[in-house]
mmCIF file of all heavy atoms in Angstrom:
data_model
loop_
_atom_site.group_PDB
_atom_site.id
_atom_site.type_symbol
_atom_site.label_atom_id
_atom_site.label_comp_id
_atom_site.label_asym_id
_atom_site.label_seq_id
_atom_site.Cartn_x
_atom_site.Cartn_y
_atom_site.Cartn_z
ATOM 1 N N LEU A 1 -18.751 -13.400 3.889
ATOM 2 C CA LEU A 1 -19.784 -12.768 3.142
ATOM 3 C C LEU A 1 -19.175 -12.329 1.677
ATOM 4 O O LEU A 1 -19.755 -12.486 0.716
ATOM 5 C CB LEU A 1 -20.245 -11.460 3.822
ATOM 6 C CG LEU A 1 -21.237 -10.618 3.105
ATOM 7 C CD1 LEU A 1 -22.507 -11.503 2.878
ATOM 8 C CD2 LEU A 1 -21.528 -9.350 3.842
ATOM 9 N N GLN A 2 -17.854 -12.005 1.683
ATOM 10 C CA GLN A 2 -17.253 -11.703 0.507
ATOM 11 C C GLN A 2 -17.051 -13.018 -0.484
ATOM 12 O O GLN A 2 -17.273 -12.850 -1.679
ATOM 13 C CB GLN A 2 -15.821 -11.087 0.716
ATOM 14 C CG GLN A 2 -15.823 -9.879 1.315
ATOM 15 C CD GLN A 2 -14.349 -9.318 1.606
ATOM 16 O OE1 GLN A 2 -13.418 -9.910 1.027
ATOM 17 N NE2 GLN A 2 -14.198 -8.406 2.412
ATOM 18 N N ASP A 3 -16.901 -14.079 0.088
ATOM 19 C CA ASP A 3 -16.818 -15.373 -0.633
ATOM 20 C C ASP A 3 -18.202 -15.719 -1.217
ATOM 21 O O ASP A 3 -18.285 -16.124 -2.412
ATOM 22 C CB ASP A 3 -16.215 -16.536 0.151
ATOM 23 C CG ASP A 3 -14.812 -16.206 0.663
ATOM 24 O OD1 ASP A 3 -14.079 -15.577 -0.116
ATOM 25 O OD2 ASP A 3 -14.457 -16.839 1.572
ATOM 26 N N VAL A 4 -19.158 -15.601 -0.453
ATOM 27 C CA VAL A 4 -20.626 -15.912 -1.032
ATOM 28 C C VAL A 4 -20.875 -15.001 -2.104
ATOM 29 O O VAL A 4 -21.637 -15.384 -3.128
ATOM 30 C CB VAL A 4 -21.528 -15.845 0.207
ATOM 31 C CG1 VAL A 4 -22.994 -15.989 -0.341
ATOM 32 C CG2 VAL A 4 -21.245 -16.963 1.175
ATOM 33 N N CYS A 5 -20.735 -13.607 -1.921
ATOM 34 C CA CYS A 5 -21.167 -12.674 -2.907
ATOM 35 C C CYS A 5 -20.318 -12.466 -4.004
ATOM 36 O O CYS A 5 -20.525 -11.701 -4.892
ATOM 37 C CB CYS A 5 -21.453 -11.250 -2.135
ATOM 38 S SG CYS A 5 -22.592 -11.327 -0.876
ATOM 39 N N LYS A 6 -19.065 -13.131 -4.051
ATOM 40 C CA LYS A 6 -18.098 -12.979 -5.085
ATOM 41 C C LYS A 6 -17.683 -11.630 -5.249
ATOM 42 O O LYS A 6 -17.521 -11.003 -6.370
ATOM 43 C CB LYS A 6 -18.624 -13.539 -6.402
ATOM 44 C CG LYS A 6 -19.093 -14.949 -6.399
ATOM 45 C CD LYS A 6 -18.107 -16.000 -6.045
ATOM 46 C CE LYS A 6 -18.600 -17.329 -6.028
ATOM 47 N NZ LYS A 6 -17.495 -18.433 -5.669
ATOM 48 N N TRP A 7 -17.477 -10.902 -4.093
ATOM 49 C CA TRP A 7 -17.093 -9.453 -4.015
ATOM 50 C C TRP A 7 -15.697 -9.264 -3.522
ATOM 51 O O TRP A 7 -15.277 -9.903 -2.513
ATOM 52 C CB TRP A 7 -18.035 -8.606 -3.195
ATOM 53 C CG TRP A 7 -17.726 -7.158 -3.119
ATOM 54 C CD1 TRP A 7 -18.109 -6.241 -3.940
ATOM 55 C CD2 TRP A 7 -17.133 -6.580 -1.957
ATOM 56 N NE1 TRP A 7 -17.531 -5.026 -3.530
ATOM 57 C CE2 TRP A 7 -16.979 -5.269 -2.257
ATOM 58 C CE3 TRP A 7 -16.639 -7.107 -0.807
ATOM 59 C CZ2 TRP A 7 -16.357 -4.342 -1.429
ATOM 60 C CZ3 TRP A 7 -15.950 -6.172 0.120
ATOM 61 C CH2 TRP A 7 -15.897 -4.789 -0.207
ATOM 62 N N GLN A 8 -14.974 -8.448 -4.252
ATOM 63 C CA GLN A 8 -13.658 -8.036 -3.756
ATOM 64 C C GLN A 8 -13.529 -6.648 -3.482
ATOM 65 O O GLN A 8 -13.900 -5.838 -4.287
ATOM 66 C CB GLN A 8 -12.641 -8.529 -4.849
ATOM 67 C CG GLN A 8 -12.480 -10.040 -5.112
ATOM 68 C CD GLN A 8 -11.491 -10.396 -6.213
ATOM 69 O OE1 GLN A 8 -10.832 -9.468 -6.736
ATOM 70 N NE2 GLN A 8 -11.264 -11.650 -6.273
ATOM 71 N N ALA A 9 -12.889 -6.392 -2.353
ATOM 72 C CA ALA A 9 -12.705 -4.966 -2.021
ATOM 73 C C ALA A 9 -11.643 -4.278 -2.844
ATOM 74 O O ALA A 9 -10.654 -5.031 -3.224
ATOM 75 C CB ALA A 9 -12.368 -4.864 -0.426
ATOM 76 N N SER A 10 -11.895 -3.022 -3.170
ATOM 77 C CA SER A 10 -10.884 -2.336 -3.853
ATOM 78 C C SER A 10 -9.604 -2.016 -3.078
ATOM 79 O O SER A 10 -9.611 -2.090 -1.831
ATOM 80 C CB SER A 10 -11.402 -0.975 -4.450
ATOM 81 O OG SER A 10 -11.876 -0.219 -3.439
ATOM 82 N N ASN A 11 -8.493 -1.775 -3.677
ATOM 83 C CA ASN A 11 -7.414 -1.536 -3.044
ATOM 84 C C ASN A 11 -7.329 -0.038 -2.440
ATOM 85 O O ASN A 11 -7.366 0.870 -3.016
ATOM 86 C CB ASN A 11 -6.171 -1.555 -3.930
ATOM 87 C CG ASN A 11 -4.648 -1.451 -3.271
ATOM 88 O OD1 ASN A 11 -4.761 -1.306 -2.036
ATOM 89 N ND2 ASN A 11 -3.635 -1.629 -3.893
ATOM 90 N N THR A 12 -7.395 -0.010 -1.064
ATOM 91 C CA THR A 12 -7.748 1.332 -0.355
ATOM 92 C C THR A 12 -6.382 2.046 -0.355
ATOM 93 O O THR A 12 -6.402 3.214 0.114
ATOM 94 C CB THR A 12 -8.221 1.111 0.966
ATOM 95 O OG1 THR A 12 -7.346 0.190 1.736
ATOM 96 C CG2 THR A 12 -9.641 0.467 0.877
ATOM 97 N N LEU A 13 -5.229 1.407 -0.561
ATOM 98 C CA LEU A 13 -3.873 2.145 -0.526
ATOM 99 C C LEU A 13 -3.783 2.966 -1.679
ATOM 100 O O LEU A 13 -2.947 3.947 -1.658
ATOM 101 C CB LEU A 13 -2.845 1.160 -0.400
ATOM 102 C CG LEU A 13 -2.823 0.129 0.795
ATOM 103 C CD1 LEU A 13 -1.657 -0.799 0.696
ATOM 104 C CD2 LEU A 13 -2.812 0.912 2.018
ATOM 105 N N GLU A 14 -4.421 2.798 -2.811
ATOM 106 C CA GLU A 14 -4.264 3.611 -4.031
ATOM 107 C C GLU A 14 -5.216 4.767 -3.928
ATOM 108 O O GLU A 14 -6.267 4.782 -3.198
ATOM 109 C CB GLU A 14 -4.580 2.795 -5.198
ATOM 110 C CG GLU A 14 -3.677 1.545 -5.530
ATOM 111 C CD GLU A 14 -3.936 0.964 -6.822
ATOM 112 O OE1 GLU A 14 -4.992 1.338 -7.419
ATOM 113 O OE2 GLU A 14 -3.205 -0.097 -7.094
ATOM 114 N N LEU A 15 -4.793 5.852 -4.625
ATOM 115 C CA LEU A 15 -5.623 7.081 -4.642
ATOM 116 C C LEU A 15 -6.969 6.820 -5.375
ATOM 117 O O LEU A 15 -6.910 6.012 -6.336
ATOM 118 C CB LEU A 15 -4.803 8.194 -5.243
ATOM 119 C CG LEU A 15 -3.691 8.742 -4.459
ATOM 120 C CD1 LEU A 15 -2.940 9.802 -5.268
ATOM 121 C CD2 LEU A 15 -4.116 9.286 -3.104
ATOM 122 N N SER A 16 -7.965 7.522 -4.976
ATOM 123 C CA SER A 16 -9.172 7.408 -5.715
ATOM 124 C C SER A 16 -8.993 8.018 -7.134
ATOM 125 O O SER A 16 -8.364 9.012 -7.356
ATOM 126 C CB SER A 16 -10.329 8.155 -4.992
ATOM 127 O OG SER A 16 -11.463 8.294 -5.800
ATOM 128 N N PRO A 17 -9.699 7.390 -8.136
ATOM 129 C CA PRO A 17 -9.532 7.948 -9.499
ATOM 130 C C PRO A 17 -10.114 9.300 -9.711
ATOM 131 O O PRO A 17 -9.838 9.959 -10.657
ATOM 132 C CB PRO A 17 -10.142 6.820 -10.315
ATOM 133 C CG PRO A 17 -11.189 6.205 -9.424
ATOM 134 C CD PRO A 17 -10.383 6.265 -8.142
ATOM 135 N N ASN A 18 -11.062 9.700 -8.756
ATOM 136 C CA ASN A 18 -11.658 11.101 -8.794
ATOM 137 C C ASN A 18 -10.767 12.194 -8.172
ATOM 138 O O ASN A 18 -11.179 13.374 -8.404
ATOM 139 C CB ASN A 18 -13.022 11.036 -8.069
ATOM 140 C CG ASN A 18 -13.936 10.023 -8.644
ATOM 141 O OD1 ASN A 18 -14.021 9.846 -9.804
ATOM 142 N ND2 ASN A 18 -14.735 9.285 -7.852
ATOM 143 N N LEU A 19 -9.648 11.800 -7.631
ATOM 144 C CA LEU A 19 -8.789 12.868 -6.969
ATOM 145 C C LEU A 19 -7.590 12.909 -7.815
ATOM 146 O O LEU A 19 -7.161 11.994 -8.446
ATOM 147 C CB LEU A 19 -8.372 12.283 -5.529
ATOM 148 C CG LEU A 19 -9.582 12.295 -4.567
ATOM 149 C CD1 LEU A 19 -9.104 11.764 -3.146
ATOM 150 C CD2 LEU A 19 -10.329 13.717 -4.414
ATOM 151 N N PRO A 20 -7.058 14.107 -7.843
ATOM 152 C CA PRO A 20 -5.725 14.294 -8.607
ATOM 153 C C PRO A 20 -4.615 13.530 -7.965
ATOM 154 O O PRO A 20 -4.611 13.347 -6.736
ATOM 155 C CB PRO A 20 -5.536 15.865 -8.543
ATOM 156 C CG PRO A 20 -6.294 16.321 -7.407
ATOM 157 C CD PRO A 20 -7.435 15.378 -7.203
ATOM 158 N N GLN A 21 -3.667 13.247 -8.769
ATOM 159 C CA GLN A 21 -2.513 12.562 -8.168
ATOM 160 C C GLN A 21 -1.595 13.550 -7.349
ATOM 161 O O GLN A 21 -1.884 14.694 -7.253
ATOM 162 C CB GLN A 21 -1.557 12.156 -9.437
ATOM 163 C CG GLN A 21 -2.245 11.100 -10.341
ATOM 164 C CD GLN A 21 -2.601 9.765 -9.580
ATOM 165 O OE1 GLN A 21 -1.810 9.384 -8.774
ATOM 166 N NE2 GLN A 21 -3.679 9.240 -9.955
ATOM 167 N N ALA A 22 -0.654 12.914 -6.479
ATOM 168 C CA ALA A 22 0.077 13.784 -5.637
ATOM 169 C C ALA A 22 0.865 14.740 -6.604
ATOM 170 O O ALA A 22 1.479 14.551 -7.554
ATOM 171 C CB ALA A 22 1.057 12.897 -4.923
ATOM 172 N N GLY A 23 0.680 16.010 -6.090
ATOM 173 C CA GLY A 23 1.393 17.132 -6.710
ATOM 174 C C GLY A 23 0.603 17.690 -7.906
ATOM 175 O O GLY A 23 1.071 18.441 -8.592
ATOM 176 N N GLY A 24 -0.709 17.130 -8.078
ATOM 177 C CA GLY A 24 -1.454 17.620 -9.230
ATOM 178 C C GLY A 24 -2.188 18.811 -8.991
ATOM 179 O O GLY A 24 -2.943 19.284 -9.876
ATOM 180 N N TRP A 25 -2.228 19.401 -7.735
ATOM 181 C CA TRP A 25 -3.067 20.616 -7.446
ATOM 182 C C TRP A 25 -2.376 21.849 -8.055
ATOM 183 O O TRP A 25 -1.093 21.931 -8.100
ATOM 184 C CB TRP A 25 -3.095 20.806 -5.904
ATOM 185 C CG TRP A 25 -3.837 19.701 -5.133
ATOM 186 C CD1 TRP A 25 -3.315 18.632 -4.363
ATOM 187 C CD2 TRP A 25 -5.234 19.452 -5.147
ATOM 188 N NE1 TRP A 25 -4.259 17.929 -3.923
ATOM 189 C CE2 TRP A 25 -5.495 18.396 -4.381
ATOM 190 C CE3 TRP A 25 -6.360 20.274 -5.721
ATOM 191 C CZ2 TRP A 25 -6.812 17.949 -4.141
ATOM 192 C CZ3 TRP A 25 -7.527 19.770 -5.445
ATOM 193 C CH2 TRP A 25 -7.783 18.688 -4.621
ATOM 194 N N ALA A 26 -3.128 22.696 -8.531
ATOM 195 C CA ALA A 26 -2.591 23.859 -9.158
ATOM 196 C C ALA A 26 -2.237 24.870 -8.146
ATOM 197 O O ALA A 26 -3.098 25.911 -7.757
ATOM 198 C CB ALA A 26 -3.622 24.413 -10.222
ATOM 199 N N VAL A 27 -1.074 24.836 -7.586
ATOM 200 C CA VAL A 27 -0.663 25.694 -6.550
ATOM 201 C C VAL A 27 0.727 26.255 -6.918
ATOM 202 O O VAL A 27 1.375 25.570 -7.859
ATOM 203 C CB VAL A 27 -0.446 24.995 -5.157
ATOM 204 C CG1 VAL A 27 -1.838 24.573 -4.777
ATOM 205 C CG2 VAL A 27 0.441 23.918 -5.252
ATOM 206 N N PRO A 28 1.171 27.400 -6.459
ATOM 207 C CA PRO A 28 2.549 28.025 -6.719
ATOM 208 C C PRO A 28 3.540 26.952 -6.438
ATOM 209 O O PRO A 28 3.581 26.141 -5.542
ATOM 210 C CB PRO A 28 2.615 29.161 -5.894
ATOM 211 C CG PRO A 28 1.227 29.499 -5.619
ATOM 212 C CD PRO A 28 0.453 28.239 -5.598
ATOM 213 N N PRO A 29 4.600 26.909 -7.315
ATOM 214 C CA PRO A 29 5.766 26.059 -7.009
ATOM 215 C C PRO A 29 6.334 26.196 -5.709
ATOM 216 O O PRO A 29 6.505 27.333 -5.221
ATOM 217 C CB PRO A 29 6.804 26.417 -8.146
ATOM 218 C CG PRO A 29 5.870 27.109 -9.160
ATOM 219 C CD PRO A 29 4.994 27.833 -8.385
ATOM 220 N N GLY A 30 6.705 25.094 -5.027
ATOM 221 C CA GLY A 30 7.312 25.220 -3.666
ATOM 222 C C GLY A 30 6.371 25.242 -2.563
ATOM 223 O O GLY A 30 6.857 25.332 -1.364
#
């Protein structure tokens, strides 16, 4: 089905662009 529709799945191993990067939450240090 992917070959027929010319669709490629996104890389699910990477973080979503809508979420902050690791350690990006505003929390106290440590």
